Amino acid sequence: TLRRQPLFRCLSDEQLDALLPRGRVAHFGREEKLIQQGDGGDSMFVLVDGQATVVVERNGGPTPVAFLRSGDCFGEMSLLTGERRTATVIAQTDCEVVEIGKAVLAKSLKDNPTLLAQLSELLAQRQLETEGILAAEKQGGAAAAQQTQYAASFVDKLRTFFEL
């Protein structure tokens, strides 16, 4: 399941096998908030079972931006940069998640330096999606240039946050 997620594709089998057992299992009921936009956080989650909606507050109201199913990941922006949560995730059904904290991922980053650039690209892509830039607001080269800029910014944030 994790191998299908962009965040984990660049990890070796050994690194991947080390992540989940060190994570914390949590259960959430229907309509319960798994994470809240604006909250601090230094962890990410793997949705093991259930369905959830990702919502971003925009123009004074909630805007759904993604739908999560078993096997999907969320919260990685906060885990990887230490920044506040950029979205709220609400359980649509009863959910079981595994929470992966900063210390667990830090070891993988130190053991695999190329992971830093790959994660920066993923974060840049997620940032663009969250902002809605990939929709119709920016097209072609403008979106690509923005992603490159975000990726460079995230490399610096990752190095600082994980003390690399």
Side-chain angles (χ1 to χ4, degrees):
T1 299
L2 290 180
R3 185 65 62 203
R4 292 191 312 255
Q5 297 299 315
L7 178 63
F8 298 112
R9 283 188 194 136
C10 45
L11 294 177
S12 70
D13 288 340
E14 295 81 27
Q15 291 166 330
L16 201 52
D17 289 342
L19 282 178
L20 279 182
R22 293 188 287 172
R24 182 181 70 86
V25 176
H27 300 274
F28 295 88
R30 186 174 185 267
E31 299 300 320
E32 196 173 348
K33 291 180 182 177
L34 286 71
I35 60 173
Q36 174 70 47
Q37 183 174 343
D39 285 354
D42 63 356
S43 63
M44 66 166 289
F45 300 84
V46 178
L47 184 57
V48 177
D49 188 39
Q51 298 175 346
T53 302
V54 180
V55 178
V56 175
E57 286 291 325
R58 284 193 186 146
N59 304 320
T63 302
V65 294
F67 185 72
L68 304 174
R69 293 179 175 80
S70 297
D72 288 339
C73 301
F74 61 95
E76 68 277 4
M77 294 288 282
S78 291
L79 167 64
L80 296 172
T81 66
E83 295 178 352
R84 297 200 170 277
R85 303 283 185 196
T86 59
T88 297
V89 177
I90 303 168
Q92 297 304 304
T93 64
D94 288 346
C95 292
E96 180 179 342
V97 299
V98 173
E99 182 177 13
I100 299 171
K102 178 182 176 183
V104 173
L105 188 61
K107 182 169 178 11
S108 293
L109 283 171
K110 289 178 181 172
D111 292 346
N112 185 4
T114 60
L115 183 57
L116 189 67
Q118 292 167 321
L119 291 177
S120 296
E121 287 295 327
L122 174 66
L123 288 173
Q125 181 71 24
R126 287 282 176 99
Q127 181 72 33
L128 288 171
E129 290 169 358
T130 299
E131 291 177 0
I133 293 174
L134 291 181
E137 297 156 23
K138 286 194 176 183
Q139 305 250 338
Q146 188 69 52
Q147 183 172 351
T148 300
Q149 181 182 352
Y150 282 159
S153 171
F154 282 125
V155 166
D156 293 338
K157 288 178 184 179
L158 289 168
R159 282 192 178 119
T160 300
F161 188 62
F162 286 98
E163 301 172 0
L164 300 175

